[in-house]
Each structure stands twice: as C-alpha cells, then as structure tokens.
Amino acid sequence: MLHKHKFIKTKLLISLAIATLPGCQSEPVPQAVSVESKAQKAVKFNPPVVITTAKALRDYDKLKYNDTTENNPITRWAKDRLGIIQKNKWIVTDQNAALATKIKLALSGGDELPDVLFLTNHDIPELLGDLVDSGQIMNVEEAFEAYAPKRVKEAYEKNKDVWKTVSLQGKAWGLPQISDGKVGDPILWIRQDWLDKLHLLPPTTLDELETVMDAFINGDPDGNGKKDTIGLALAGKNSLNNWMGNVSFLFGAYGDQPDQWNRMKDGKLAYGSIQPGVKPALARLADWYEKGYLDPDFGTHDEQQAAAVFTSGAAGIISGPGWMGGWPLSESPLGPGVFKPIPYPAGPDGKIGRLGSRLSYGSYFFRKDFSHMDAVFAYWDQVYGSLIEDPESDFVNGYAEGYDYIIKDGQAIYDFPGSGSTISNFLLFGPGSAPPMVISGDSIEQRVFQGRIHSPYEKKLAATTSRLFLEGRIVGDIQAAYSQKNEFVGPNTPSMASRWPLLKKLEKETFLKIVYGKASIDSFDVFLGQWSEQGGNQITDEVNQWDLTTR
C-alpha cells in the first residue's frame, strides 16, 4: 500500500498533464525538456557557510541509521557538495500552528529570528505585516537580481504573479515557492462499479449527475439490500468550497466561486460568496440535501472525514484534486478498479467552473542581516533541477539513498522495506514544483501513463504512483481553462484582523442553514446586507487597494 505522505510529496514535486486524456502510443515521442536544463556551476563555499533555520517536524518525519536533524543525507550533501552547514535554531512540532506561534513570541520578545524561515500560504497573510514591521526580514529583490541563476530567474519571469504572495509596501519580502498551477484543481471521483451495476454512464451535466445520485441512493448499488448509500460526500465543517469534499463544480456551474476573491468584468476584485450565482447553487444544494443525496451530518465533516465517507464505500461521488488517486483512494479497503476520475459536469447554461490552484503554497523569508544569499541560490538551484527533470541534478534518482531509493545492480529501486519520501522535508530549501511554462512537451504523468518510461524521473514516478493517480492528474488538466484562482493572495488587510472572522462565521452559518433547510433561500439576501454592513464593503475596498499596488 502506498502511503499518504508519499503522494503529498509527489503532488508537490511533479508537473501536471496536458489537456486531453491520452491513449497508448507505441511510437517514441521526444521527452520533455526544460528551457534551461543546465544548473549553474556549483561553487563550494570555503570556509563553509552556516545557515540557521526553523524546522517543523511532522509525526512521520522519521530518520534512521542514527541520522539526526542536523546530520543526515541531506545536510551531509549540502556540506560536502556546496560547503553549506544547516543549523536548526528552532525545532517545533508541525501541528497547532506551532511555528507561527513561535514566530509571534520571538517578535513580541525581540528575539533574533533564524537566518531563514519557511511559512505556508496559511500563515503568511497573518504574519507578513508583523515580520515587515519588526524590521527583522530583508527585501529580497536585490539578492534575487544579484544571485539567482538564469533558469531560476526565468521561472519567476514566466510566473510573475507569484511575487504578490510576499509583497507589501511595494516590496518583495520573501522568496515564494512556485506551484505547478494545477495541483489543487478538483475533479469528480465516482464509483465506476456502481455505475456499471446500475447501467449508468458518467454524468456530463448537473441533471445527469442528479440522475446518478438518485440511483446511487435508491438503487442499492452496494447490493446489501439496504437504503444506506450516499450520493455525494461533502465537507461542510470549514467551508463548502475547501480543498477536498467541496461543491466547486456546483458553484462553477452557476458562474461564481465562493470563499475566494474573483476578478470581475470591470477588472475589480469581489468576494465570490456574495455574488448572484451563489444563491441558485445553494438552492440546488438544499434540494439535494432534502432528497437525501448528501450525508445528514455533512456540516460536521472536515475534508478528511468527507474523504473517509467516500473511501469507506458509503458514498458514490466526491469532488477533490486529481492526486486523490494516490491518497486517500489507494488506502480504501474497496480495492483497485472501483474509482474513476471524471471531468466536472456542465450547469444549466452549459457553464463549467472550479476552484483554481494557489500560485504558491509557501515562501522563504530571510533575516535582515543575513549575508549569504549567494549560498541560498546555489542550494536552491541544485534542488530546482530535480523539479524540472534536469538529467544532471544530484537528485536525479531521489533525495537520499536508503530513504527514497536504493541502488541495486546499478539501477535505482524505489520499492524496498522502509522506503518513503519524507527525507525531503529535511531540505534547507524546497523550491516547490515544476513551474508552469518552463517544461516543454508532454507532462511526466502523460508520458508515464502512456508507457514512455525512459528517464530516471519517469522511472521514479512509475515506481511510486498508481495508474489511478496518473489518470486523475491527467483528467484534472482537461478542464484547465475552467479553473478560477483566488485573486487576493496578499497579507491581511487592516480591517480583516477584526472583521473577517465574524464575516466568515456569518457566511458559514447562513450557507449551512440554507442547505439544511433551516432557513429559506431568501436568507441569502439578508446575508448580503449584513456582510456589507459588518465590514465587507470596507474589506473589499482594501483588497482592491492592494490589487492596484501589485499590478
């Protein structure tokens, strides 16, 4: 069985597929190549450069062979290859926002920060303003211009908007990871065996989807003689439009994506949850609940609980990213062959829409007086090469022999006792994914899916992922044009700190009451007025002010 952490790391390190589901091909096709495949010549620093950092360790970040957080294959590579010594100034447990709390305490107490800090996209909006105001982090623009290698600069030039995630006061305060731009884009996952048993085709419209869900709850698809199945697994605890178990397809079918800021026809940003298309989508979702298509307790389910409803065999459909074919579907007791990835169905007017992936899922911030940004980019470039399939990368086979691969008879082997991918969490810098527009040709998923397995990167992906994972990623790319990204990626605005939690609470309660039938659909109009009066209009003005400064 393949493990959750393996697929989470895989989804962050590989590029997505092109826009059509491929058939098998027998003729050789040119391999994907990066625009600038050569790394800059690595220079070993002498005397060695010491860089301090903070490490948030997860419960499955396990080292072996008597390795430690500061003496392991990754740190030894950096020291021997580049003359860079990693020291962990802080080590925290990666839960309950431990690192964010540590940073807040350091700022309030005037304590010196580590040389480099990695913050996720969840923490940056709240902490960036405090970090800048403290005067303890540097503006990275000069260092980037002076030291970033050609191919790294090229990636950021082709994905300029990623700088918005670390911009404040007209300056860039961090070095953002660049996502592949598609990793979080959702699709539908459906029980193919249920479709087969009930003689149904995969739905292509919302009306067809309703027909399928009705059959899934009334047609005894699991064959136990009981009416105990669910049409759609949904996570309503945090948001109806979160990363897994969402109804992005339903909102998109009516033209708007809630729980994010969208670019409107007049060029301005507006909050998606207050747009006209959300009302009929909620009304239809309420109708689905009344008909029994949803779990009665969906409002208490978070994303992983909704996924468990699906993988356990209780539900026939779930909306989530294409990488779900790895985790959690690989861990389902139902076994292989029962799940099928399909594109989102069209709405009443033929509309299709879905959530879009984030530009970045995290960024690195540097202590103001840190003087070794040349070493940072030397390290960054070496790891970046492995993301863009550089055949000369030191990590062409994996990150650490004995952890994520072994060499046997001159070949890299990935399936061996104790194998896993968490060693990569001990990298000092992880640039993210293969950025959009820097690799030409077919995606690595498509190549492997078609059996074109030649390079070490293709062999690694083929050995560590399933056909279902690959197919899900490829299906996810079919509807790339329908993805709508959150256009507000900056730090919290002045009014957000005091107003946003209450506005989000109001939104969640209103939406759930409508779907549960405890409030009429007209309560949505009441919500619009309350949202505007309780700070929504002020926040909208501030968001658009930010937008003007980052264009």
Side-chain angles (χ1 to χ4, degrees), residues 210-453:
E210 287 193 8
T211 298
V212 168
M213 289 193 294
D214 191 78
F216 279 1
I217 68 167
N218 294 311
D220 191 24
D222 58 359
N224 66 358
K226 301 177 182 179
K227 189 177 179 180
D228 59 354
T229 49
I230 299 164
L232 177 70
L234 180 58
K237 182 178 180 179
N238 298 314
S239 164
L240 293 175
N241 231 24
N242 220 309
W243 58 281
M244 186 162 59
N246 58 59
V247 280
S248 171
F249 66 92
L250 180 58
F251 290 117
Y254 287 93
D256 294 297
Q257 287 298 329
D259 202 32
Q260 65 178 41
W261 294 84
N262 303 320
R263 181 81 58 189
M264 310 309 286
K265 292 182 178 179
D266 63 1
K268 295 182 178 180
L269 299 186
Y271 190 53
S273 299
I274 64 168
Q275 301 310 308
V278 172
K279 185 176 180 179
L282 288 174
R284 194 155 191 174
L285 191 60
D287 182 59
W288 291 356
Y289 180 80
E290 184 178 7
K291 290 177 177 176
Y293 298 164
L294 312 179
D295 191 309
D297 299 320
F298 82 87
T300 65
H301 292 171
D302 63 18
E303 291 73 29
Q304 296 196 45
Q305 289 170 318
V309 171
F310 183 64
T311 58
S312 68
I317 303 167
I318 192 171
S319 169
W323 50 258
M324 285 180 64
W327 175 85
L329 300 188
S330 66
E331 298 182 356
S332 170
L334 302 176
V338 301
F339 303 115
K340 179 73 175 178
I342 63 173
Y344 270 1
D349 299 323
K351 290 182 180 178
I352 299 172
R354 67 180 183 184
L355 292 171
S357 297
R358 294 182 180 274
L359 298 171
S360 173
Y361 288 87
S363 300
Y364 292 87
F365 298 87
F366 303 91
R367 185 172 55 83
K368 184 176 181 180
D369 296 326
F370 177 63
S371 58
H372 294 292
M373 292 299 288
D374 52 349
V376 167
F377 284 105
Y379 192 118
W380 189 279
D381 188 53
Q382 293 298 311
V383 182
Y384 177 69
S386 69
L387 304 182
I388 59 173
E389 304 180 54
D390 185 345
E392 297 182 9
S393 169
D394 288 351
F395 304 115
V396 66
N397 292 315
Y399 288 108
E401 186 173 359
Y403 281 87
D404 56 353
Y405 74 98
I406 58 174
I407 299 296
K408 186 176 181 180
D409 299 328
Q411 297 293 320
I413 304 296
Y414 300 96
D415 184 12
F416 59 94
S419 64
S421 65
T422 61
I423 187 63
S424 60
N425 191 45
F426 294 90
L427 287 166
L428 183 57
F429 302 106
S433 307
M437 298 178 286
V438 302
I439 294 181
S440 61
D442 292 343
S443 73
I444 190 169
E445 289 93 345
Q446 187 173 34
R447 282 175 268 140
V448 172
F449 189 85
Q450 294 175 341
R452 293 183 271 151
I453 305 170

